[in-house]
Amino acid sequence: MTFGYILSICTFASIYAILILGLNILTGYTKQVSLGHAAFFAIGAYAQALLVTKAGLTFWSALPLSIVLSMAIGIVMGLPSLRVSDDFLVLTTIGLNFIVMGITEYFDFFGGAMGIIGINVPSFMGHPLGTTGYFVVTLIFLMLAIYISYFFSKTWGRLAMEATGEDEQAAQALGINTALYKIYAFALSSAFTGLAGALWAHSIGSLFPRNFSFEMSVLFLSMLVFGGLGTIRGAIFGAFFLYLLPECFRFIESYRMLVYGALLTVIVILQPNGMLGRGGLLDGCFFKLKKRGTETQGISKMG
Amino acid sequence: MLLQTEEKRNGNPRNIEDGVILSLRGVKKHFGGLKAVDGVDMTLNKTEILGLIGPNGAGKTTLLNTISGLLMPDGGEITFRGISITSLPAFKRAKLGIARTFQIAKPFGLLTVEENILIGLGCKLHGHISSLFQNCRKQEILQKARDIINMIGLYDCKDQPASSLPIGLLRKLEIGRALAANPSLLLLDEPAAGLNNQERNELAGLVRTIREEGISIILIEHSMSFVMNLSDRIVVLHRGRKIAEGSPSDVANDPLVIEVYLGTKGGKYAS
Amino acid sequence: MLLNVQDVEIAYGRIKVLWGISLYVGDSEIVALVGANGAGKSTLIKGIMGLVPLQRGSITFSDHDVSKKPPWEKAKMGIAYIPEGGRVFPDLTVEENLMLTANLRKETLNVKAQLDLIYSLFPVLKERGFQKAGTLSGGERQMLAIGRALMSKPKLLLIDEVSMGLMPKLVTEVFETLKSLKAYGISMLITEQNVPEALAISDRGYVLENGRISLGGQADELLKSERVKTSFLGL
Amino acid sequence: QQTVKIGFITPLTGFAAADGYSSLESAKLAVDYVNEHGGIKGKKLELVSYDDACQPDQASALTKKLIENDKVVVMISGSYSSPSRAAAVICQQAKVPFTSTYAVHPSIVEAGEYCHRIGMAAPIQGRTGGYFAARELAAKRIALLIMNNDFGVSLAEAFKETAIKLGAQIVYEKKYPLGETEFRSYLNAIKAANPDLIYAPGYYNEAANIVSQAREVGLKCWLMGDEGYDSPKFIELAKSAANGVFITTDLNRDSDRPMTQYFLKNYKKRTNIDADMVGASAFDAVMLVSHILNKVGTDANKIIQYWDTIKNFEDCATGPILMFQNRSAIRPMDIQIVLNNKFRYFYRYYEPEVIYLGKGSEGK
Amino acid sequence: MLQLLVDAFVLGCSYALMAVGLNMVYGLLRIIHVAHAALYTLGAYVGLYCLYHLSQSLWLSLTLGAVFPALMGALMYRIIYSPVLSAPRYVALIAGAGVFIASQEFYRLIAGPYPYPFNAQFKFLSISSSHLNVTETQMLIITFMVCAFLCLYLIINNTNLGLMWRACTQDMELAASSGININLIIAINFIIGSALAGSAGVLMALYRNSVFPTMGAMVSYKAFVVVVLGGFGSIPGAAIAGILLALAESLLGMVPFFNLPRDAIAFLVMVLVLMFKPKGLFGR
Ligand SMILES: Nc1ncnc2c1ncn2[C@@H]1O[C@H](COP(=O)(O)OP(=O)(O)OP(=O)(O)O)[C@@H](O)[C@H]1O
Ligand SMILES: Nc1ncnc2c1ncn2[C@@H]1O[C@H](COP(=O)(O)OP(=O)(O)OP(=O)(O)O)[C@@H](O)[C@H]1O
Ligand SMILES: [Mg+2]
Ligand SMILES: [Mg+2]
């Protein structure tokens, strides 16, 4: 059986699902379209890698620190969103990819072009985790992320973020400090993304700046939009589907990405609200966390 | 002509200090070279409905924006319930109890009617870090939301996304959302625009009910029958300045107001 | 008959908004279309102009079937549309706004004469000729919108809510202008919230309710009818 | 079991697809050669290859797939350092012998005793360049224009150390990112620094631009590159500006060794393109692996034990592999020069101090 | 120094040529047209094909390298963008990204993964003196860009077509009902923008002497920076910002020990500018 392979693919897909859940808070709820999540991902991964390799922490003790660190940097990176809006923000987030890549590549503290090597396999109660063990760990974190997302989707915070995303002036007139909520969204989103990055770093074992490219950010946004912006089930579905899709096309080997790109285009055109978004092809096929109408779907203008 | 009005206004100072909820002193707002609001003094009493009228582009909406905090005034002072709010941002003013609607309705289109109201109900809580943890769908909160939805008569569409509502219902939704924020001052920007007479009458009823709850209201309208009937007092703006103030009939008879705003047929509102 | 609308149905996505609408506009006639919010007045006007596709039904203009024609071809045939809220091209100057439509029909039109006519109707536009349209006041914009529509010497004007958001003084002026246009042989289909004033300048009228025409007839008769009185005049 | 399978990962899509194509075709060429000459102890050799798109996550998952599903006995990575390292770690865990082909990052062999390298270790190649520049060419003033990835940086470090040791002076040093096309501003600054030689470690795509723009801005000094230049594409792209450029490499096109000529001729026949260094490395990897498999069979432990004892392996397209030191191949180092739009043999180092890994940090 | 300015100017021309097409599409449809870079690469490949199989003439390959992408651009609008115009705008962005990914793979499958040299022989002006050395290719790029921008500027500001185009950028629906054939205008818009991208592809292929499947990627990101700096929708802005950006990059590249890559510098500059001018340098 190809157990290890499937587990390994699913580990990565779960990691991406955690990330997309984070992106959903920022882009799905707060409507701050981000094409820079590979940068946030890199920050989580690098934070964890540095803590583990340079500071000598274990996986478990480094993880909370990485998340907090990602969150803190996420807040700083979110500051432009207070001044810049709409498409300008999209472009700014694109810039984050290149800036973070440039910085990790050009400062030896971050390993520079030689990358960071030897991020050890985490162990649990003294035993190193194998493929299966690590998959279970990722899965647990994914469950946790889903739970937190679900819980968050019922809070005032989410309502305030959605209001901020829809119309800032109207939101302010109702007592919502829109700047604060954008920052909250960046913080939460980068915390999720940082967690995903940290998990990713351990499953690869080494990091290179070019692993976190702009193309990856495009993939992340595609995953979210493909699944259904603003929905938890859509985020998870999109991450798994779009990550596994190219794997399914292995048999056509070098035509794989051609088909993938074309399929992505066709599906987004046919299903602009996402497969699981409102009116999506699979809307209603999967169990919904809430009854129809209370969970809102992403069909608004950008930004 | 202008002078005459100034005199007249200064001649009848209204002594309402104790009941004052909002007062503006010399409020200015400029856009580049354009003086959209150019030194306006105004007061609003408790449970009063103040009509704000004036030609297109007179600066009414701009003035309202400076009161609600969406625009920061370039000069002057605004006091609300004895507190100077001149430099407070909009969301803080909302928490103090200033709620508003918009000339071009701004619903949260993707959210349902109920969620729109919930956002209003959360006014005091928004911004606290605890808002990220607190459930907004507790029974008593939903009940409150339902009461307001009933009051504005939107119960049938409470689970529809707001973007699917027609203008008339949107305006009601906006008012409901503003009321949910539990304001003591409500600013209405042309709530009757785009409504027919029957709907206007319903709306007028709603506005009166709100006033009876003890909420003061500033009302911008171009529909003379609507604003004349509802208002206790009317302020007329022209080119960013206040050119008249007084009871509806006084204002309707003011020759300057007739000239710049009402037109020749203006006299018919005088009664 | 200048415009004949037969059995038109329009939907936004899956939601049907108009059901079996039939109406006509004769030569040099002003027809008012009144109805509550969301009744579908704007939708009907857009449908006639071709800005939203028809699901069913046909529209003929000067005996040509125009049901499937795109808006620009209808514009060339002589239909002009004035949308809600005095929409103009904000970054073009007043004169550019006016010339834009006229230029398209340069061959058949005396552009200069037409421009002079507009300026004589709305002298204020001449003063503002080189100002960006976005900087005009609400009323001036509304005049520009009308002027822009008139530039192409249309046979039919479709006007959506011309008085909305205008101050009382301007409402009167604008309606008087519209009425005077009849003298140039222009027909009009106007929608209005301001029912009495609209019916006052109209020859005929239709009442639209929930996407269906519930009443139609001579304007003065409509004004007197119980239905209009109760639901629109608040009497 | 009818065949002996070896696993191969390489980028066939994305930005590194050209290198992936070269290495895959070369590996297939080698497999065909082996099978024509008796296969592995009578069984056919089979290459199972996947596209890793140069992504480490795909590389690690695919390596698992190759090991578990396809039951490969040896893994070869025809990919860049980041995916190679990810694959190496998996192979080390699974105790499957692994070798990288042209990836230079030191950490690949550091993953453990199962991991080897066929290509030249960066410290050796950089050092060779340094010797050639500072000793043979007697360059005193040297400018460095470095591709900023593990390849360029590790070459540059070794070069710099050697050149300084031999008395040269670094008058300019700058890194540029992968994919850069515009070098005029760097080159103008270099011109102002007036060097005797420019050492610009990187790949041929960027190098072609560097070289032709250097000539365009009027730089008349020596230009020196590395095995990344070693592709006929370099000469095609740089046109006449390529002439006179020195490179360090291990594919000697002028060699009369039969395997080298076999590779060059048959690669061209197979793909209608001239062979490059990347392909040669992949070819050699398959040749070496099949040699080992023929010797000791498919047992992983025997394979790696034997691997470390290999001496003077001649059946490869590049210069003979003298031995494996710290699991990295050691071979004589060639300097080639572009003359008349062809890579020509110029100089060869056998000196141990040049071609063997040192005792220090570079040994790892 | 003068040499540096000229080199940077040529680079800036390539940015500007790409940025203009992006900007025109953005101005009209508010779409971030990622697939624009695919047309750049297409131009280069078509030009290459011409050169190898049709004629040695650069002029023919430049012409076809502009015409073919122009048609593809118009087609792309019809097939990819027009169905999603009413959807949220990131949908068009992702659809474009999908096309971009697929196109790169397509070129690779058709032409192979290797870079091709672009050896065109042509005669053009050149300057070579001891202070300043402007090659024929550089001259050609500068001339082309100056002519293209001048034409575009004149068309937009002085012709009826330009007037209609400007009207469409402001209010599409109103434009349609004023008698403007908006489909035609959009098609022309895509044709001009894509032709510029395609010819930029050919010119850069000539300048760099290489054509490869992923050559569009970096240029398009740079073009985004230029578009933002110049202000969305502003064509002179794009031209000026393209040249300024290239200058800034080149000058910063001269500073010793400042080793951040150009791309990072470009985006850093962009973010900083946006912090102070949230609508770009020349944005409205
Ligand atoms: N953000 C802005 N920037 C520049 N000018 C503005 C801005 N907002 C309003 N103005 C100008 O200020 C003046 C007053 O506008 P305001 O919206 O307050 O008018 P109003 O009295 O509400 O008119 P109406 O009755 O038409 O709504 C107008 O001339 C308007 O063009
Ligand atoms: N773009 C749209 N998408 C979906 N539904 C729409 C759209 N535009 C209008 N509708 C719906 O169609 C119905 C008719 O709208 P329309 O604007 O034609 O009404 P109206 O009579 O002009 O009303 P008003 O007086 O508000 O202008 C309304 O229920 C409205 O919600
Ligand atoms: Mg207003
Ligand atoms: Mg309407």
Side-chain angles (χ1 to χ4, degrees), chain B residues 55-56 166-168 190 193-199 201 222 224 259-263 265, chain C residues 35-38 137-139 164-170 172 193 197 230-234:
Chain B
N56 291 114
I167 295 190
E190 302 203 24
L195 303 194
N196 64 36
N197 273 24
Q198 190 191 344
E199 287 167 321
N201 292 343
H222 283 306
M224 280 308 107
E259 187 196 319
V260 302
Y261 184 63
L262 296 173
K265 288 209 235 155
Chain C
N37 280 128
S137 87
M164 184 170 166
L166 284 190
M167 58 176 175
K169 187 174 147 187
L170 278 178
T172 328
Q193 298 286 350
E197 302 230 20
T230 49
S231 55
F232 296 110
L233 305 182

Side-chain angles (χ1 to χ4, degrees), chain A residues 83 87 106 215 229 254 300, chain E residues 26 89-90 221 259 275:
Chain A
R83 274 189 68 74
D87 299 326
Y106 278 81
E215 285 79 3
L229 204 69
S254 78
S300 83
Chain E
Y26 186 85
R89 296 213 309 280
Y90 47 76
Y221 313 148
N259 257 338
M275 292 305 278

Side-chain angles (χ1 to χ4, degrees), chain A residues 35 80 83 87-88 91-92 95 98-99 106 214-215 218 222 225 229 254-255 257-258 261 265 268-269 272 300 302, chain E residues 26 80 88-91 94-95 97-99 102 105 108-109 221 224 228 232 259 261 267-268 270 274-276 278:
Chain A
L35 273 178
R83 274 189 68 74
D87 299 326
F88 288 98
L91 271 297
T92 308
F98 291 90
I99 293 170
Y106 278 81
F214 168 57
E215 285 79 3
V218 176
S222 306
V225 171
L229 204 69
S254 78
Y255 292 86
M257 294 308 285
L258 175 72
T265 307
V268 197
I269 290 174
S300 83
M302 183 188 277
Chain E
Y26 186 85
I80 314 289
R89 296 213 309 280
Y90 47 76
V91 171
I94 289 172
V99 170
E105 294 299 315
R108 184 178 60 75
L109 287 165
Y221 313 148
F224 284 138
V228 172
F232 275 124
N259 257 338
F267 279 102
L268 211 55
M270 180 191 88
L274 283 182
M275 292 305 278
F276 294 101

Side-chain angles (χ1 to χ4, degrees), chain B residues 61 103 189-190:
Chain B
T61 303
Q103 182 167 3
D189 197 353
E190 302 203 24

Side-chain angles (χ1 to χ4, degrees), chain D residues 84-271:
Chain D
S84 296
R85 160 76 192 189
V89 172
I90 304 285
C91 289
Q92 176 65 29
Q93 278 168 10
K95 302 207 183 343
V96 172
F98 168 87
T99 182
S100 78
T101 56
Y102 57 90
V104 300
H105 200 287
S107 73
I108 295 169
V109 291
E110 283 167 25
E113 69 273 20
Y114 286 86
C115 304
H116 297 79
R117 182 200 335 269
I118 296 288
M120 283 184 289
I124 302 177
Q125 192 180 170
R127 187 167 57 207
T128 312
Y131 269 103
F132 186 74
R135 202 174 68 186
E136 266 66 52
L137 295 177
K140 288 279 164 270
R141 301 170 60 80
I142 293 176
L144 293 176
L145 192 53
I146 308 161
M147 160 171 290
N148 194 24
N149 66 358
D150 59 299
F151 181 73
V153 169
S154 45
L155 284 184
E157 267 168 20
F159 178 94
K160 201 163 124 186
E161 197 187 319
T162 314
I164 290 175
K165 202 173 71 193
L166 295 172
Q169 183 194 355
I170 305 298
V171 294
Y172 179 91
E173 181 176 348
K174 197 107 185 169
K175 292 175 182 163
Y176 65 87
L178 189 73
E180 177 69 287
T181 50
E182 177 68 30
F183 296 93
R184 285 179 178 78
S185 67
Y186 306 126
L187 292 166
N188 276 315
I190 290 178
K191 195 177 170 189
N194 189 28
D196 304 327
L197 179 140
I198 301 173
Y199 183 60
Y203 303 147
Y204 62 81
N205 229 341
E206 291 78 6
N209 276 316
I210 294 182
V211 167
S212 51
Q213 288 172 23
R215 296 307 183 208
E216 206 177 276
V217 304
L219 271 164
K220 302 243 167 15
C221 61
W222 277 312
L223 290 168
M224 179 155 186
D226 55 73
E227 62 176 11
Y229 290 33
D230 191 350
S231 160
K233 285 288 165 191
F234 169 68
I235 301 175
E236 278 180 35
L237 299 180
K239 294 194 273 189
S240 60
N243 287 323
V245 173
F246 293 106
I247 62 168
T248 50
T249 186
D250 49 13
L251 175 62
N252 179 3
R253 290 179 176 75
D254 294 328
S255 160
D256 43 17
R257 293 175 52 244
M259 201 45 86
T260 309
Q261 290 309 323
Y262 176 88
F263 170 70
L264 292 175
K265 207 172 91 221
N266 287 285
Y267 185 86
K268 170 87 181 185
K269 209 157 88 191
R270 187 186 178 92
T271 60

